[in-house]
């Protein structure tokens, strides 16, 4: 095959690819637009002049579930997340909210930056005013996760109220243990930290990067390590 003929075939293929891609994106956008117009309003409840903004690439699944926004503005995957000199792109790092028989309640202004995942099954998740969660953080609930206002989650934080798999001992039969997690107001969770089932963080708690929290932390504590322990008290911080 001559070079000229090869270039001609490549050109035709490239044009066809562009046309097919554009057509696919057009159909996809029409479906997403219809979903947002007719499907979402059935499951999203806005109270007190509340507003919601969901990036069109967000993977949103609501099965017998509701998102309730009380006042303020709930942003999902819209703002450009920033951390450690890098960032998350809303076109590439999409958010995912997957609720089954669950309720997500937003009280005030809350931002989920690109890459955040919220997964709930037969559970309740509450997030307070002024809280910001960076991607790719995860909230995984099978019972209840409650997050206060003014909190800041760094990159890759994981909050889960359950084991995720069946565990058993000689004394106990196999079960997935679920215990509620509660995080107070103005808490800062460092990069790649985890808060596991049954833990309660009081107000103004700081969790160091990489820490795994399995027990309660009193107000103003700085906790670090695996498992996390208090290493300082009377902590203050600002974003």
């Amino acid at each position: 095959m001559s070079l000229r003929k090869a270039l001609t075939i490549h050109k035709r293929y490239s044009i066809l690819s562009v046309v097919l891609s554009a057509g696919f994106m057009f159909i996809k956008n029409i479906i997403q637009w219809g979903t947002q117009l007719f499907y979402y309003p059935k499951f999203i409840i806005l109270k007190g002049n509340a507003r919601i903004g969901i990036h069109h690439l967000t993977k949103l699944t609501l099965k017998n579930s509701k998102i309730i926004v009380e006042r303020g503005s709930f942003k999902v995957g819209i703002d450009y997340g920033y951390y450690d000199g890098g960032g998350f792109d809303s076109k590439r790092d999409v958010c995912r909210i997957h609720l089954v028989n669950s309720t997500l309640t937003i009280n005030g202004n809350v931002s989920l930056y690109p890459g955040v995942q919220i997964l709930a099954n037969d559970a309740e998740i509450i997030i307070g005013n002024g809280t910001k969660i960076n991607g790719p953080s995860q909230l995984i609930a099978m019972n209840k996760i409650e997050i206060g206002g003014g909190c800041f989650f760094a990159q890759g934080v994981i909050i889960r109220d359950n084991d995720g798999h069946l565990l058993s001992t000689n004394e106990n039969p196999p079960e997935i243990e679920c215990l509620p997690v509660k995080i107070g107001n103005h808490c800062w969770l460092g990069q790649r930290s985890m808060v596991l089932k049954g833990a309660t963080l009081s107000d103004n708690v700081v969790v160091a990067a990489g820490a795994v929290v399995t027990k309660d932390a009193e107000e103003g504590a700085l906790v670090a390590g695996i498992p996390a322990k208090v290493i300082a008290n009377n902590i203050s911080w600002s974003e």
Side-chain angles (χ1 to χ4, degrees), residues 137 147 151-159 181-196 199-233 235-237:
S137 296
I147 301 168
C151 294
F152 182 80
F153 288 15
Q155 177 207 7
V157 170
I158 296 177
I159 311 294
V181 172
K182 185 174 182 179
I183 297 173
N185 298 313
H186 194 62
C187 291
W188 173 18
L189 276 62
Q191 188 172 2
R192 294 185 176 86
S193 60
M194 300 178 67
V195 180
L196 303 183
T200 295
L201 307 185
S202 297
D203 295 345
N204 201 44
V205 169
V206 176
V207 179
V212 178
V213 181
T214 59
K215 297 181 179 179
D216 297 352
E218 298 297 327
E219 182 174 352
L222 168 60
V223 299
I226 304 175
K229 297 180 179 179
V230 177
I231 61 173
N233 292 291
I235 293 295
S236 62
W237 69 277

Side-chain angles (χ1 to χ4, degrees), residues 74 96-99 104 112 116-120 125 127 139:
F74 182 36
R96 181 184 178 194
I97 299 178
H98 186 97
L99 307 179
L104 170 61
L112 306 182
V116 172
Q117 295 186 23
I118 294 182
L119 313 175
I125 298 177
I127 306 177
L139 308 182

Side-chain angles (χ1 to χ4, degrees), residues 63-128:
K63 296 181 179 179
N64 193 31
S65 301
K66 292 182 180 180
I67 296 177
I68 302 172
V69 184
E70 301 264 7
R71 305 173 304 280
S73 177
F74 182 36
K75 298 180 180 180
V76 181
I78 294 176
D79 294 324
Y80 190 78
Y82 175 84
Y83 69 94
D84 289 346
F88 286 100
D89 184 354
S90 59
K91 295 181 180 180
R92 182 184 73 250
D93 305 294
V94 299
C95 285
R96 181 184 178 194
I97 299 178
H98 186 97
L99 307 179
V100 178
N101 302 322
S102 300
T103 301
L104 170 61
T105 301
I106 305 297
N107 295 316
N109 299 315
V110 172
S111 292
L112 306 182
Y113 290 107
V116 172
Q117 295 186 23
I118 294 182
L119 313 175
N121 195 331
D122 296 314
E124 179 182 11
I125 298 177
I126 302 171
I127 306 177

Side-chain angles (χ1 to χ4, degrees), residues 34-91:
T35 300
Q36 293 178 5
L37 185 62
F38 299 107
Y39 177 76
Y40 290 171
K42 298 179 181 179
F43 304 98
I44 298 176
I45 300 172
L46 305 179
K47 298 182 178 181
N49 296 321
R51 295 174 297 171
I52 186 170
I54 302 177
H55 191 276
H56 69 278
L57 293 180
T58 296
K59 299 183 183 302
L60 183 61
T61 302
L62 303 174
K63 296 181 179 179
N64 193 31
S65 301
K66 292 182 180 180
I67 296 177
I68 302 172
V69 184
E70 301 264 7
R71 305 173 304 280
S73 177
F74 182 36
K75 298 180 180 180
V76 181
I78 294 176
D79 294 324
Y80 190 78
Y82 175 84
Y83 69 94
D84 289 346
F88 286 100
D89 184 354
S90 59
K91 295 181 180 180

